[in-house]
Amino acid sequence: MKPAPDRIYDTLKRYWGFTEFRPVQLEIIRSVLEGRDTLALMPTGGGKSLTYQVPTLAREGLCIVVTPLIALMKDQVDRLRARAVPAVAIHSGLSPRQIDIALDNCAYGDVKFLYVAPERLATEAFRLRVVRMNVQLIAVDEAHCISQWGYDFRPSYLRIAELREKLPGVPVLALTASATKTVADDIMRHLKFPEPHILRSSFARPNLSYSVRRTDDKNGQLLRLVRNVPGTGIVYVRTREGTEQIADLLRQEGTTAAAYHGGLGHAERSLRQEEWLSGKTRVMVATNAFGMGIDKSNVSFVIHYNMPKNMESYYQEAGRAGRDGEAADCILLYNGQDVRTAEFLIEHSHENDDDSIDEKTRRALIERDMERLRQMTSYATTTDCLRRYILNYFGEKAPVC
């Protein structure tokens, strides 16, 4: 049998039908096969999943994939099973009996991929089974969630360090589409990297066109854009109520549109998502609860009705356009009220955090969020090239626009 490094092209061809890797994918895969802890920074649509799926399939053992996104778990498991790859997901939608069966199959069967929410890492059922599994890799998706200085901190991610203690010698591949230097350093510290090791793909998305429309009539501007920009799209709105109102506005104008937010039941969210994925619904009007882990390549436009609170969120959400490589539009509708609303929300954020965060830390987090809002506001008001602004923000030298 060929050694694993020589089998990766065979694996890529057999399961995906490709003959070449995208930029940086091969470098990340080789790092994983060498057993090095690796932080991979790749833009949305850059092919992150292949960087842990290919090396896992090229050798014995299974990969544990930690992700907070049930939608991504289900999508990835379905895609792997369609390629005859044994994969399971452990999440809150399963009964205790179903979870026990899935974990036993990982310990004693031929499962190659175990997708698990970070909250599950601390359960007794998981802790007892994981030491019996032949784990070759821990992949941490949305790795920025482990950093308190990241824009989407989730305390449950801190449990991943405990998993490493139970699986000594198993390398970690941390993946994120956006991380500043501070957040990247924090990720590697929390995941106990023995030495810093970052591999990054360019954040440039040449097929995306970025624009800001400064307007006091966002509804009118939105309707004109949706009428004139062909294809399917996403409109991001800050509040649940707002998604329903904007979806209703679009439907009144003859556009098939649906609202998506965390207040909907699971079955209703799944139905609306499927109708959008299939093309039955043209425009999804959503809060930021929508998008991560959703694999739809031909999104022609992403419109932000409200300005996000930071550049990381904007880049992630806008980056869901044009994943097929075709030209696509990323449009921000902006007025001064966006800033005032965001400032109010930030000032009252972290009030419900647990007691482990003292007042000094809370103020530091608020000031961090205010600084990120200032960076986002500068993007919305600059007369400079928007593509250059984005790349410079993420520490990448930008070409002349």
Side-chain angles (χ1 to χ4, degrees), residues 193-295:
F193 279 33
E195 60 182 3
H197 183 47
I198 302 175
L199 296 175
R200 67 171 72 227
S201 177
S202 172
F203 284 83
R205 299 283 303 281
N207 63 310
L208 300 186
S209 173
Y210 299 98
S211 62
V212 176
R213 304 289 179 91
R214 300 174 184 87
T215 178
D216 290 324
D217 180 19
K218 290 191 176 185
N219 286 357
Q221 186 72 244
L222 175 66
L223 291 175
R224 285 191 291 275
L225 287 168
V226 172
R227 273 198 300 266
N228 295 325
V229 179
T232 187
I234 306 171
V235 177
Y236 280 108
V237 182
R238 179 173 288 121
T239 66
R240 296 176 179 182
E241 181 183 12
T243 65
E244 299 286 358
Q245 292 172 347
I246 297 301
D248 188 51
L249 173 70
L250 290 171
R251 286 193 295 267
Q252 290 176 17
E253 293 294 316
T255 298
T256 54
Y260 186 104
H261 53 77
L264 298 170
H266 175 72
E268 184 62 26
R269 286 201 308 272
S270 296
L271 175 63
R272 294 185 184 190
Q273 176 181 308
E274 185 54 44
E275 289 182 341
W276 180 75
L277 288 170
S278 68
K280 184 176 180 180
T281 297
R282 181 185 170 213
V283 178
M284 185 68 86
V285 185
T287 62
N288 59 8
F290 180 78
M292 283 197 281
I294 305 301
D295 190 9

Side-chain angles (χ1 to χ4, degrees), residues 309-379:
K309 291 184 288 186
N310 54 69
M311 286 297 299
E312 289 91 343
S313 296
Y314 182 73
Y315 179 80
Q316 283 250 28
E317 292 160 9
R320 287 165 193 146
R323 292 176 61 173
D324 56 2
E326 297 297 317
D329 293 292
C330 305
I331 303 163
L332 169 62
L333 305 183
Y334 170 79
N335 61 40
Q337 185 60 43
D338 287 322
V339 180
R340 292 187 288 274
T341 301
E343 287 175 339
F344 176 84
L345 293 172
I346 290 171
E347 192 61 42
H348 292 82
S349 63
H350 308 291
E351 291 180 348
N352 296 322
D353 289 341
D354 59 56
D355 295 335
S356 66
I357 298 180
D358 57 28
E359 181 59 22
K360 182 179 179 180
T361 303
R362 192 179 79 85
R363 292 307 310 176
L365 292 171
I366 288 173
E367 180 50 39
R368 173 210 66 185
D369 292 346
M370 287 293 191
E371 175 56 30
R372 286 182 172 157
L373 176 61
R374 286 190 283 272
Q375 297 279 358
M376 185 71 237
T377 305
S378 293
Y379 173 88

